[in-house]
């Protein structure tokens, strides 16, 4: 008897998204989960493996880091645990998880489908949210694993880098309508915004 009950409707919608985007994946129809890999562009972690587990009224997306922390290295285990906790404090959707038994790191997103229609956009967001968090903190994860650097310092470094990239993206979207003098002023303003946001994050951590 198969106790792995899952929604075929949810599975069909996830399959629809994957097929539309021409993904290569496998589906275990007995257990109700999809598996596939996704290449990343903004981190030295070049690829993460995904598992989507479907249940009767929801599904969970797991993005799994290909590199485990050495479970016998107590210092590295504690540093990565602190780093991931700091990273989780700022997440809006989902969270990092860390398995102390084997050193596995993964990011999880959850989508509740109870009494609501699932869209392919919701599937896309759940997958790419997990990927974007690895692109945001992937190099930080590697730095914590393979160096003796403090988790707090690494977290601050990559969080600030993330906000710098956001400001740069915003500046590129604004275009080049202003004159050179205004551009210089905007650059100074952008630097102030980065410092203000980052300072607020650090102040929150210190409280």
């Amino acid at each position: 008897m198969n106790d792995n009950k899952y929604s075929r409707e949810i599975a069909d919608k996830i399959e629809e998204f994957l097929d539309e985007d021409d993904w290569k994946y496998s589906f275990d129809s007995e257990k109700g989960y999809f598996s596939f890999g996704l290449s990343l562009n903004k981190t030295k972690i070049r690829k993460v493996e995904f598992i989507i587990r479907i249940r009767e009224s929801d599904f969970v997306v797991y993005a799994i880091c290909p590199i485990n922390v050495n479970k016998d290295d107590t210092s590295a285990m504690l540093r990565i645990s602190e780093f991931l906790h700091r990273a989780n404090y700022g997440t809006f959707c989902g969270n990092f998880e860390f398995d102390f038994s084997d050193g596995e790191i993964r990011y999880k997103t959850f989508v509740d489908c109870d009494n609501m229609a699932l869209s392919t956009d919701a599937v896309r967001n759940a997958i790419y949210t997990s990927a974007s968090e690895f692109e945001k903190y992937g190099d930080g994860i590697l730095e914590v694993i393979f160096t003796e650097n403090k988790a707090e310092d690494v977290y601050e470094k990559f969080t600030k880098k993330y906000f710098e990239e956001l400001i740069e993206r915003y500046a590129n979207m604004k275009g080049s309508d202003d004159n050179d003098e205004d551009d210089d002023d905007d650059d100074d303003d952008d630097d102030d915004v980065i410092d203000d946001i980052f300072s607020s994050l650090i102040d929150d951590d210190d409280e």
Side-chain angles (χ1 to χ4, degrees):
M1 180 179 177
N2 181 18
D3 294 328
N4 297 301
K5 296 180 180 179
Y6 66 91
S7 167
R8 185 64 244 186
E9 184 178 355
I10 295 175
D12 288 345
K13 186 59 67 172
I14 295 172
E15 191 169 31
E16 178 185 340
F17 165 73
L18 295 174
D19 287 340
E20 285 179 352
D21 272 29
D22 198 26
W23 289 60
K24 294 181 180 180
Y25 63 89
S26 62
F27 177 64
D28 188 323
S29 59
E30 183 175 336
K31 296 181 179 179
Y33 67 80
F34 291 88
S35 58
F36 52 88
L38 179 63
S39 298
L40 305 178
N41 298 318
K42 298 180 181 179
T43 172
K44 294 176 184 176
I45 297 177
R46 294 303 182 187
K47 186 177 182 179
V48 292
E49 295 299 321
F50 277 79
I51 293 177
I52 302 180
R53 181 188 175 194
I54 308 164
R55 299 187 293 194
E56 293 184 89
S57 60
D58 57 56
F59 68 93
V60 184
V61 177
Y62 296 104
I64 304 170
C65 181
I67 300 172
N68 286 24
V69 184
N70 181 359
K71 65 183 180 63
D72 296 321
D73 187 340
T74 303
S75 177
M77 295 282 281
L78 292 176
R79 289 198 310 276
I80 199 67
S81 178
E82 178 187 343
F83 179 83
L84 296 177
H85 273 78
R86 289 180 180 276
N88 279 339
Y89 185 78
T91 57
F92 294 100
C93 179
N95 59 276
F96 282 104
E97 296 183 331
F98 181 50
D99 190 340
F100 273 88
S101 68
D102 61 7
E104 181 184 85
I105 299 168
R106 66 187 186 186
Y107 194 89
K108 178 184 72 179
T109 53
F110 168 83
V111 179
D112 183 7
C113 308
D114 193 22
N115 297 321
M116 61 184 70
L118 176 64
S119 67
T120 53
D121 284 341
V123 177
R124 177 186 294 106
N125 291 340
I127 293 172
Y128 283 110
T129 292
S130 301
S132 66
E133 289 299 325
F134 268 109
E135 290 197 323
K136 178 179 178 181
Y137 286 118
D139 287 351
I141 289 171
L142 295 180
E143 184 170 329
V144 172
I145 292 175
F146 294 111
T147 74
E148 297 293 328
N149 294 344
K150 291 175 58 179
E152 180 179 5
D153 294 341
V154 178
Y155 165 76
E156 292 176 1
K157 170 183 173 181
F158 285 95
T159 299
K160 186 169 186 177
K161 177 183 176 184
Y162 169 73
F163 281 107
E164 288 173 343
E165 291 174 350
L166 282 184
I167 295 297
E168 181 179 0
R169 202 175 311 159
Y170 170 71
N172 291 335
M173 290 174 60
K174 287 195 303 181
S176 56
D177 294 336
D178 299 331
N179 59 38
D180 291 342
E181 181 177 350
D182 289 339
D183 286 341
D184 291 338
D185 291 340
D186 286 343
D187 290 340
D188 292 337
D189 290 342
D190 290 343
D191 289 339
D192 291 340
V193 170
I194 294 171
D195 290 338
D196 288 345
I197 294 174
F198 186 64
S199 295
S200 69
L201 288 171
I202 303 307
D203 290 342
D204 288 342
D205 286 341
D206 290 341
E207 289 180 355

